[in-house]
Amino acid sequence: MNEGTEQGLIHISDDVVTSIVGQVVLETPGIAGMSGSNISDNWAKRLGGKNVKKGLSVEVKEVDVAIDLRVIVNYGCVIQEVCYMLQKNVRNAVENMMGLSLVSVNVKVEKVALPV
């Protein structure tokens, strides 16, 4: 995203959007992690979220964003509620932190993390 101001140009990289969204996903209660990654949310936090790009697709245009998420939900959680909260948290982060308009947050639950 590029935005011109009186003082110059502001550019927000796709990687920045991905990092912020990845962190929000891992902080959402009921989410065990991103699908396509063998890493749990605790390990992802310790590693700085390096593997959160797996299971996360971000399409940034001039002033709007579309996001696709593939997640793993913890066993025992109400999947619809977890996904709704995830969509809400991602929307708030993108719109409030970056001033972008969020077109869609598509969530696909690919696995359920069973307790060990």
Side-chain angles (χ1 to χ4, degrees), residues 7 10 13 15 18 34-35 45 51 56 58 76 83 87 101-103 109 114:
Q7 296 149 349
I10 298 172
S13 152
D15 287 342
T18 300
M34 302 295 293
S35 185
K45 288 177 186 175
N51 282 345
L56 173 58
V58 176
C83 292
Q87 288 174 317
S101 173
L102 193 55
V103 176
V109 178
L114 299 174

Side-chain angles (χ1 to χ4, degrees), residues 19 22-23 26 39 43-53:
S19 295
Q23 189 63 35
L26 296 177
I39 192 166
W43 280 103
K45 288 177 186 175
R46 289 182 191 153
L47 296 173
K50 291 180 183 176
N51 282 345
V52 295
K53 289 184 182 182

Side-chain angles (χ1 to χ4, degrees), residues 33-44:
M34 302 295 293
S35 185
S37 171
N38 292 330
I39 192 166
S40 71
D41 58 337
N42 288 332
W43 280 103

Side-chain angles (χ1 to χ4, degrees), residues 3-77:
E3 184 177 321
T5 67
E6 291 178 12
Q7 296 149 349
L9 185 67
I10 298 172
H11 176 77
I12 299 176
S13 152
D14 291 2
D15 287 342
V16 170
V17 178
T18 300
S19 295
I20 291 170
V21 170
Q23 189 63 35
V24 169
V25 170
L26 296 177
E27 290 176 354
T28 299
I31 299 293
M34 302 295 293
S35 185
S37 171
N38 292 330
I39 192 166
S40 71
D41 58 337
N42 288 332
W43 280 103
K45 288 177 186 175
R46 289 182 191 153
L47 296 173
K50 291 180 183 176
N51 282 345
V52 295
K53 289 184 182 182
K54 292 183 178 182
L56 173 58
S57 170
V58 176
E59 183 181 342
V60 181
K61 297 187 179 172
E62 286 300 314
V63 291
D64 53 14
V65 181
I67 298 172
D68 293 320
L69 302 168
R70 295 187 330 267
V71 298
I72 303 167
V73 176
N74 288 322
Y75 177 81
C77 294

Side-chain angles (χ1 to χ4, degrees), residues 61-100:
K61 297 187 179 172
E62 286 300 314
V63 291
D64 53 14
V65 181
I67 298 172
D68 293 320
L69 302 168
R70 295 187 330 267
V71 298
I72 303 167
V73 176
N74 288 322
Y75 177 81
C77 294
V78 179
I79 293 173
Q80 279 184 306
E81 289 177 11
V82 171
C83 292
Y84 175 74
M85 182 59 65
L86 177 59
Q87 288 174 317
K88 181 180 172 187
N89 291 348
V90 168
R91 180 172 298 281
N92 286 340
V94 169
E95 290 179 349
N96 294 333
M97 291 179 68
M98 293 175 271
L100 299 173

